[in-house]
Amino acid sequence: MSNLNEYKGIWVLFELFEGEAKKVSYELLSPANDIKEHTGEDVVAVILGSGSKEIAKEALKMGADKALVVDHKDFDRYDSDLYTDTVEAMAKKYEPSSMLIPATNNGRDMAPRLAVRLQTGLTADCTSIAYDPEVEAVAWTRPAFGGNLMAQIFCSEHRPQLGTVRPGVFKTMEAQDKDGEIVEFPYQASEDVHRIKFIEYVEEAGGQDVDLEGAEFIISGGFGLGKKENFEMIEELANALDGTVGTSRAAVDAGWISHIHQVGQTGKTVQPKIYVAIGISGAIQHLAGISSSDTVIAINKDPEAPIFKVADYGIVGDLFEVVPLLTEKIKEIKSK
Ligand code: FAD
């Protein structure tokens, strides 16, 4: 193992789906550039799959200094062994100092495997990333003790420093008209690495329509709705606003709505232009998912509800009166 200071490069592992990079890949270039401001290291986009050379050009515009690619169809579907083997080989060859990995299903599968292979530490599910010049390491922040505490974790004795980061936590950088080096990593297809055979891709029920992370308007209903049927009211308002339906964990736990809609620490992290919280108290675990929203509007009958502390606009009132009125008014305005 090299001296810790000899590890160079802030890597961002891109995740491709159906030939395109998921938004979170570009989002992670933003904290990578924050680290670069302190260390001066290159930000490297690591991209595996068909068309990765083309995606690399986009990555260079969106904040990467370099790209390391394997442009091969074997990587078009995530495969734990193949991905772990390849990224391990890349990391052993180039020795990056840190790796930012999307906290998606695939990223969450690969990151701990990589950490073991590379004999290093991993901070999972980070909500913020900074560089601490005193410790000379990345400060990975993530909720701990049920979300009641934010823990800052350092990997001060091993390299690379690994962290998974949720989609929607960081905003993408402004595109710049620049290019950079695209390096192809040699890959030899081999039969024996494929212990997993891809048969069919099945979308989770309702999953296609629920893009909370990319939504500009989110209308979330909580436990204050009282019963499953009342979600129709939320859907109606969401339809009127061309928005997406979100929810709290209490409503999911009650079986009123699928977990795909859940916002918060154990749900999705969102960054809409407008987030409307209806009958949601504003527990810390819910707020953890909405802090990047531009504007938060709360409707709650309890003026002391914690949601009002973070809301830009609040309506203290009975949601069963307010929401239908609001929907009606919006429909009226739209029909003009
Ligand atoms: P409640 O807290 O019960 O609030 C209901 C609100 O509705 C109240 O404020 C009430 O005043 C209001 N209300 C009731 N009737 C009306 C009415 N007629 N008109 C207007 N307002 C009304 N929660 C999440 O949301 N997301 C997470 O990801 C998440 N992760 C968690 C992880 C852990 C480890 C733990 C321990 C908890 C987590 N939770 C999460 C749960 C969280 O602590 C809260 O229990 C949950 O957010 C509460 O949901 P709620 O606001 O819908 O319900």
Side-chain angles (χ1 to χ4, degrees):
M1 187 194 262
S2 310
N3 180 302
L4 291 195
N5 295 328
E6 288 171 21
Y7 287 80
K8 293 282 176 229
I10 308 150
W11 283 17
V12 172
L13 256 61
F14 269 48
E15 181 164 328
L16 271 47
F17 183 71
E18 306 283 342
E20 290 193 21
K22 285 196 172 172
K23 189 165 168 256
V24 60
S25 315
Y26 296 113
E27 288 169 5
L28 296 193
L29 292 171
S30 170
N33 273 274
D34 291 342
I35 300 172
K36 178 188 165 180
E37 280 195 20
H38 291 273
T39 67
E41 295 164 89
D42 280 338
V43 172
V44 182
V46 177
I47 313 172
L48 312 176
S50 306
S52 50
K53 268 184 270 176
E54 278 310 304
I55 293 169
K57 289 181 194 159
E58 191 62 20
L60 296 171
K61 290 194 181 114
M62 298 304 293
D65 300 305
K66 280 186 191 168
L68 187 56
V69 304
V70 181
D71 201 333
H72 197 286
K73 64 172 179 39
D74 274 10
F75 296 87
D76 289 355
R77 294 275 170 201
Y78 178 74
D79 175 319
S80 305
D81 293 329
L82 183 61
Y83 267 70
T84 312
D85 286 352
T86 309
V87 180
E88 178 193 0
M90 288 170 145
K92 285 187 170 158
K93 176 163 184 200
Y94 291 102
E95 300 194 325
S97 70
S98 49
M99 263 194 229
L100 278 61
I101 302 169
T104 53
N105 290 343
N106 297 351
R108 286 174 191 199
D109 176 89
M110 183 177 61
R113 295 169 197 271
L114 264 182
V116 173
R117 301 266 190 103
L118 300 172
Q119 304 261 297
T120 188
L122 163 70
T123 309
D125 231 4
C126 299
T127 51
S128 136
I129 299 173
Y131 184 81
D132 190 321
E134 273 182 37
V135 188
E136 294 186 354
V138 176
W140 308 93
T141 302
R142 57 150 298 148
F145 297 106
N148 292 314
L149 197 74
M150 297 309 273
Q152 214 174 47
I153 296 170
F154 295 97
C155 176
S156 40
E157 290 174 18
H158 298 274
R159 292 291 180 273
Q161 309 160 84
L162 303 188
T164 60
V165 187
R166 287 164 158 234
V169 171
F170 292 98
K171 299 212 164 168
T172 50
M173 297 168 66
E174 293 277 314
Q176 289 173 23
D177 195 13
K178 74 173 183 65
D179 51 20
E181 195 184 358
I182 299 175
V183 178
E184 274 198 75
F185 186 78
Y187 163 73
Q188 289 289 321
S190 122
E191 269 309 303
D192 49 311
V193 75
H194 294 291
R195 284 192 302 170
I196 298 164
K197 188 169 169 235
F198 173 74
I199 298 170
E200 187 191 0
Y201 179 76
V202 182
E203 184 88 37
E204 196 172 352
Q208 268 161 331
D209 306 322
V210 189
D211 176 19
L212 279 170
E213 283 135 346
E216 295 204 329
F217 297 98
I218 297 178
I219 319 300
S220 273
F223 201 64
L225 284 167
K227 58 179 177 178
K228 185 178 182 170
E229 290 69 26
N230 291 334
F231 261 95
E232 279 173 25
M233 218 164 54
I234 302 296
E235 278 161 23
E236 219 181 313
L237 179 57
N239 285 340
L241 287 165
D242 294 325
T244 305
V245 174
T247 193
S248 68
R249 178 154 147 185
V252 173
D253 287 349
W256 299 344
I257 183 165
S258 152
H259 177 258
I260 308 167
H261 294 267
Q262 187 182 315
V263 173
Q265 187 190 317
T266 43
K268 303 268 166 57
T269 304
V270 298
Q271 41 176 284
K273 286 198 172 124
I274 297 182
Y275 185 84
V276 189
I278 302 170
I280 291 180
S281 57
I284 186 165
Q285 297 90 354
H286 189 82
L287 301 184
I290 66 169
S291 59
S292 295
S293 306
D294 288 347
T295 302
V296 174
I297 302 172
I299 303 172
N300 199 304
K301 68 177 182 187
D302 175 8
E304 301 298 324
I307 191 76
F308 287 125
K309 293 209 171 76
V310 300
D312 299 280
Y313 301 97
I315 301 172
V316 179
D318 186 341
L319 67 90
F320 297 103
E321 287 171 22
V322 178
V323 176
L325 271 177
L326 206 57
T327 311
E328 199 185 326
K329 202 75 200 161
I330 288 162
K331 282 184 181 167
E332 204 180 292
I333 295 167
K334 278 179 91 177
S335 66
K336 278 183 189 162

